[in-house]
Amino acid sequence: QVQLVESGGGSVRAGGSLRLPCAASRYAVSMYTMMWFRHAPGKEREGVAAIDTDGYTNYADSVRGRFTISKDSAKDILYLQMTSLKPEDTAMYYCAAGAWGSIATMRADDFSYWGQGTQVIVSS
């Protein structure tokens, strides 16, 4: 069983930055493909960023160039650095881990383990 705990959410003005850490069970970030998803009220869940066991990354077009996914395997922490935030980035952000997850497809169904989420609110 993989435990994932997100933190770092909050309220920020448009143009600002936030960094979301996700603390994972031991060895999880080394053994699994990891992703960040987000879910806003009235919208479908969206895959935001993914990183595989070799460190290759992929991003949704909506955040490419503004968000950066990274991991610290020694500390078992996944990060999402968010810059140039926009009101449309407002959502609950979740980290997820999956043995069969693909950074190419970023499908939620391929990720078995999920955190409880952290709320990000971006005001204009």
Side-chain angles (χ1 to χ4, degrees):
Q1 186 76 11
V2 175
Q3 303 294 325
L4 301 169
V5 180
E6 306 93 335
S7 60
S11 296
V12 64
R13 296 287 294 272
S17 300
L18 280 175
R19 188 177 76 158
L20 307 182
C22 172
S25 301
R26 194 172 184 184
Y27 305 125
V29 298
S30 300
M31 294 175 59
Y32 295 92
T33 295
M34 306 292 295
M35 272 201 66
W36 286 97
F37 290 86
R38 67 185 180 186
H39 195 187
K43 297 183 179 180
E44 293 190 0
R45 181 172 50 189
E46 178 185 19
V48 173
I51 185 167
D52 69 12
T53 55
D54 293 323
Y56 292 100
T57 59
N58 193 22
Y59 298 90
D61 289 342
S62 57
V63 306
R64 192 181 306 275
R66 300 187 297 121
F67 290 11
T68 302
I69 188 171
S70 63
K71 62 182 178 178
D72 185 333
S73 297
K75 297 182 178 179
D76 294 302
I77 300 177
L78 178 74
Y79 296 101
L80 184 67
Q81 178 69 49
M82 305 186 293
T83 63
S84 302
L85 282 162
K86 305 175 182 180
E88 51 263 45
D89 293 319
T90 295
M92 186 72 79
Y93 283 73
Y94 300 87
C95 67
W100 306 107
S102 166
I103 65 168
T105 60
M106 299 204 297
R107 292 191 333 132
D109 289 348
D110 294 335
F111 289 81
S112 303
Y113 305 105
W114 293 76
Q116 83 290 345
T118 186
Q119 180 72 50
V120 172
I121 299 172
V122 184
S123 59
S124 56

